[in-house]
Amino acid sequence: MAHTEPARFNPKTFLAKVGNGKTTLNPEKLGVLFSQGDAANAVYYIQRGRVKLTAVSPQGKEAVIGILERGAFFGEGCLAGQLVCVTTATALDSSVVARIDKAAMMRVLHDEPTFAALFMAYLLSHSIRVQEDLVDHLFNSAEKRLARILLLMAHFGKEGQPSLVIPKISQEMLAGMVGTTRSRVSFFMKRFKQLGFIKYNAGLHVHSSLLNVVLHD
């Protein structure tokens, strides 16, 4: 009798299937996946759409922690003992998000090296991005921070050709990401447009020359 090898584990198939601690969420635009202060008991993976992470201070000031796109994990703090969510996750588009219970996530990380490697690679990349964001906020002007965020959202510098087109995003949201006021963002965006760094045409088009703002001393 011929020996049949077990099917090779496929991370994408695992993330797409429901059951065994996994569910698929289909939030509409502005649908909340979890709120700050909720129990932290699952990891999430974006299959389609975008998710905004925000945090509110005790004084009521809201900050945009990040805009996550397809292929991003979030909620991973529960794996390190985080008991409550420190952010609120809101869908920016009609999205498809996989929700993996903490126990199911721990199990697949232990049993499947391929998935563990994928998850580890994401965490390392995310950690580098967080460090770069911190340095950016500590040492760069609001104008430079805005230019960097626009380039990152346009996937500039990633493998392959950058899209250089950003889906619709409000200046208020950009202000929350930069850590400045909406009026300042409006001022910088007008200047970027006048200089030919950006243009509006079925979305926000970002020219690679915007990098000059980031590199300029």
Side-chain angles (χ1 to χ4, degrees):
M1 186 175 180
H3 175 69
T4 303
E5 292 187 4
R8 183 173 297 179
F9 179 82
N10 187 317
K12 291 185 178 180
T13 302
F14 167 80
L15 291 165
K17 285 186 175 181
V18 298
N20 296 321
K22 293 173 289 161
T23 55
T24 298
L25 308 178
N26 301 95
E28 295 298 322
K29 183 177 181 179
L30 301 183
V32 175
L33 292 153
F34 58 75
S35 297
Q36 187 173 344
D38 286 352
N41 51 21
V43 177
Y44 299 77
Y45 175 80
I46 303 175
Q47 295 175 328
R48 189 183 73 223
R50 296 178 300 159
V51 172
K52 174 181 68 170
L53 299 181
T54 57
V56 179
S57 72
Q59 294 74 33
K61 183 178 180 180
E62 182 180 83
V64 179
I65 306 303
I67 305 294
L68 306 178
E69 300 179 328
R70 181 173 62 86
F73 289 93
F74 59 102
E76 66 275 7
C78 69
L79 302 178
Q82 190 178 80
L83 299 178
V84 298
C85 301
V86 297
T87 60
T88 295
T90 306
L92 289 178
D93 315 291
S94 179
S95 305
V96 178
V97 179
R99 182 187 184 279
I100 308 132
D101 288 345
K102 177 181 176 180
M105 190 70 177
M106 295 292 283
R107 186 166 56 248
V108 71
L109 288 173
H110 180 270
D111 295 342
E112 301 294 346
T114 304
F115 184 84
L118 171 73
F119 187 64
M120 181 61 71
Y122 174 80
L123 290 182
L124 290 172
S125 175
H126 181 66
S127 176
I128 292 170
R129 169 69 186 274
V130 170
Q131 291 180 48
E132 291 174 344
D133 287 348
L134 179 58
V135 171
D136 191 38
H137 274 268
L138 288 174
F139 299 115
N140 289 332
S141 66
E143 183 179 27
K144 281 189 176 184
R145 296 200 302 271
L146 175 60
R148 176 175 173 269
I149 285 172
L150 293 175
L151 288 165
L152 286 170
M153 294 184 70
H155 302 156
F156 185 83
K158 288 190 176 181
E159 291 183 6
Q161 292 296 318
S163 63
L164 299 184
V165 180
I166 298 174
K168 184 177 180 181
I169 184 169
S170 69
Q171 291 188 355
E172 183 177 6
M173 193 179 301
L174 286 172
M177 297 175 72
V178 173
T180 189
T181 62
R182 183 186 180 282
S183 61
R184 291 291 286 167
V185 167
S186 178
F187 173 79
F188 294 138
M189 293 293 278
K190 287 178 180 177
R191 183 152 72 183
F192 292 166
K193 184 179 178 182
Q194 291 171 353
L195 293 172
F197 295 152
I198 64 173
K199 67 178 180 179
Y200 297 92
N201 182 16
L204 175 60
H205 292 244
V206 179
H207 194 275
S208 59
S209 59
L210 184 61
L211 186 62
N212 294 331
V213 176
V214 178
L215 297 178
H216 179 68
D217 292 326

